[in-house]
Amino acid sequence: MLTARTTGGELVILTKQYSLEHLRKWREDETFYCPQCKEKLILKVGDVMIPHFAHRQQTNCRDSFSEGESPTHLLGKTQLYELFSRHALNVNLEPFLVDVRQRPDLLVTWQDTAVPIEFQCSVIPLSLVQQRNAGYHMLNMLPIWIVLTPQTIHATSAATLSIRISQFHHFFIRQINDRITILLTYHPLSEQFHYLSHMIHLHGSTYAVRHLILRIDKQTVPFATPAAPNPTDIEELTRHYQSARRKYLRSVIGYNPLGIHNRFLRACYEMRIQPIQLPSWVGVPTAGQEAFKQPDCEWQLLLVAAMRETRKMPNQLNSSFFRTFIKRFEGETENQLKACRVYTDFLRQERIDIYRMDKFIGGNFVQEILAGRFLAMHAKN
């Protein structure tokens, strides 16, 4: 914990304004108390951990501060507190919200709106995150969660990445202005925010993403929003997407234990086409494709196969057809329905003959789709 009260009731917030020498001398002359339970605290000033307060013994403080916080968490909270303070905002460090008995890392007020800020460094049960969010919502507060930058992201400065996003980190992906999705992360040791945005699902939990690094002294309040990708960004996202597509199509035969009994390979066999020869309109990043865990080329080919089997064209499909199709897949039904409709709209708009797999082997559909999606996304903000 970084806050305490003195014998005279003064609130102490440990920031870098206090030197280690000053704090060591101060603790000899002053007694510090927990702002919540009023018990005496120890001011710890070491050479490794940043200065912090701790209860003298196992406390009965019902709503005590988190004991045993990592150095990274303590440092991050301090730096975020200083960030908001530099912007002359009303910011409270480790405040206790009595009505919901919760203590966010910070509570920042701007434009008469109180916003809890949580800096999450460790993986905790998502049920606990949901519980904390529910408490904030009871107070009509919309929290901002900032997660510790994963090492795989912190270790690179590349502007475009193909990365796995764990279920835990995926939970903290949020929308800005109802259009742009981002995962906001922060790394205290480098004092850098890492933004992951403009995410393109590849397969499973793997995404191609834009990666923006912003030093804390360049951060704005409210937090900066990633700009629209430039042509080079879109080319890189396209390259990552097409590379993942090729890798899957080349590996699906050699590394598939089910062989021809695999649904995807069976569909290729019945259409008399090798997976690597699929036309470029099978496996395109249409909006909502993340509803399927499978690569786009797999579920889209199976959708085309279902249309061919029922002798339907993209403009002849109804909800019953789509619902029957998605029963084969795990996932959220409504999102998968939307993804199927968007893909069949694409087929119709491009006037693609799904019965001619030998056409449109080339084409630059991926780059055109991504450019259209992202430019439209930012035009609406």
Side-chain angles (χ1 to χ4, degrees):
M1 55 192 289
L2 297 171
T3 57
R5 291 200 179 272
T6 64
T7 304
E10 176 188 0
L11 180 65
V12 177
I13 300 176
L14 296 179
T15 62
K16 62 184 179 183
Q17 65 174 313
Y18 298 112
S19 68
L20 298 183
E21 293 75 13
H22 174 80
L23 292 176
R24 286 170 179 145
K25 185 176 185 307
W26 198 9
R27 69 182 177 184
E28 295 176 0
D29 304 327
E30 182 61 83
T31 303
F32 301 97
Y33 299 87
C34 173
Q36 183 60 38
C37 69
K38 315 304 181 187
E39 293 180 2
K40 291 182 179 180
L41 299 176
I42 302 172
L43 172 55
K44 296 188 174 182
V45 187
D47 295 321
V48 179
M49 287 278 286
I50 71 169
H52 63 283
F53 296 106
H55 286 84
R56 290 180 177 271
Q57 55 192 358
Q58 185 153 3
T59 177
N60 293 322
C61 180
R62 181 176 178 183
D63 302 297
S64 65
F65 295 81
S66 176
E67 299 290 337
E69 291 178 272
S70 69
T72 301
H73 189 220
L74 291 169
L75 181 60
K77 285 199 298 185
T78 302
Q79 292 171 349
L80 291 171
Y81 174 82
E82 292 170 342
L83 164 66
F84 292 113
S85 298
R86 285 197 301 270
H87 286 271
L89 295 173
N90 181 12
V91 52
N92 294 311
L93 182 65
E94 303 171 336
F96 181 64
L97 306 179
V98 178
D99 291 341
V100 293
R101 311 195 77 77
Q102 291 181 200
R103 192 186 308 280
D105 289 327
L106 303 115
L107 187 66
V108 181
T109 302
W110 64 72
Q111 297 181 350
D112 299 323
T113 301
V115 179
I117 305 292
E118 294 279 14
F119 179 46
Q120 189 61 41
C121 291
S122 59
V123 176
I124 60 175
L126 290 177
S127 59
L128 180 57
V129 179
Q130 293 170 325
Q131 178 183 337
R132 293 183 65 81
N133 283 343
Y136 295 133
H137 293 159
M138 287 179 60
L139 301 177
N140 295 316
M141 293 178 177
L142 187 61
I144 294 177
W145 289 79
I146 305 170
V147 296
L148 176 67
T149 305
Q151 184 58 34
T152 53
I153 298 170
H154 177 250
T156 179
S157 60
T160 307
L161 306 172
S162 290
I163 60 168
R164 289 185 177 182
I165 300 179
S166 68
Q167 181 184 13
F168 179 76
H169 285 103
H170 197 278
F171 186 87
F172 297 100
I173 295 174
R174 62 190 181 94
Q175 286 191 324
I176 298 179
N177 298 329
D178 299 323
R179 300 294 299 178
I180 305 172
T181 55
I182 68 166
L183 175 62
L184 180 61
T185 77
Y186 181 65
H187 200 280
L189 295 182
S190 61
E191 299 187 3
Q192 292 175 332
F193 287 92
H194 292 252
Y195 283 78
L196 303 183
S197 66
H198 302 90
M199 302 174 184
I200 308 299
H201 181 251
L202 301 180
H203 58 83
S205 60
T206 303
Y207 291 76
V209 300
R210 276 187 80 210
H211 174 216
L212 170 68
I213 301 174
L214 185 66
R215 285 193 56 81
I216 193 170
D217 57 0
K218 302 296 182 183
Q219 181 63 272
T220 62
V221 178
F223 289 127
T225 301
N230 58 39
T232 301
D233 295 327
I234 294 174
E235 288 177 6
E236 278 297 294
L237 287 169
T238 299
R239 184 179 66 81
H240 279 257
Y241 182 89
Q242 291 177 325
S243 175
R245 180 183 184 273
R246 287 192 299 270
K247 183 177 180 180
Y248 172 75
L249 293 176
R250 286 171 179 164
S251 65
V252 69
I253 295 178
Y255 300 98
N256 198 302
L258 296 178
I260 196 64
H261 298 291
N262 173 274
R263 292 183 302 175
F264 175 75
L265 291 179
R266 184 71 185 177
C268 289
Y269 174 78
E270 292 175 351
M271 295 181 190
R272 293 178 172 81
I273 189 169
Q274 291 290 329
I276 199 64
Q277 295 175 329
L278 284 182
S280 58
W281 48 266
V282 178
V284 291
T286 47
Q289 33 48 289
E290 64 276 5
F292 293 91
K293 289 300 181 183
Q294 295 76 8
D296 294 334
C297 51
E298 180 174 330
W299 71 265
Q300 289 175 6
L301 180 70
L302 292 175
L303 181 57
V304 169
M307 285 188 276
R308 288 164 59 114
E309 183 179 349
T310 57
R311 299 187 180 278
K312 299 284 188 181
M313 295 296 288
N315 61 342
Q316 297 174 320
L317 307 177
N318 54 30
S319 293
S320 177
F321 172 88
F322 288 126
R323 289 186 181 277
T324 299
F325 171 73
I326 65 175
K327 285 180 181 179
R328 314 178 190 184
F329 302 90
E330 295 182 359
E332 209 287 318
T333 299
E334 292 304 315
N335 290 339
Q336 291 179 339
L337 286 173
K338 292 177 184 177
C340 290
R341 292 190 179 102
V342 172
Y343 178 61
T344 53
D345 285 345
F346 159 77
L347 296 176
R348 186 178 65 255
Q349 292 165 3
E350 296 294 332
R351 299 184 178 181
I352 290 173
D353 183 354
I354 63 171
Y355 296 91
R356 294 293 304 274
M357 302 299 289
D358 59 334
K359 285 195 172 184
F360 296 101
I361 298 298
N364 202 11
F365 291 121
V366 172
Q367 188 162 333
E368 292 172 2
I369 289 171
L370 294 183
R373 182 197 300 188
F374 293 140
L375 293 179
M377 177 187 298
H378 285 267
K380 293 182 179 181
N381 291 314

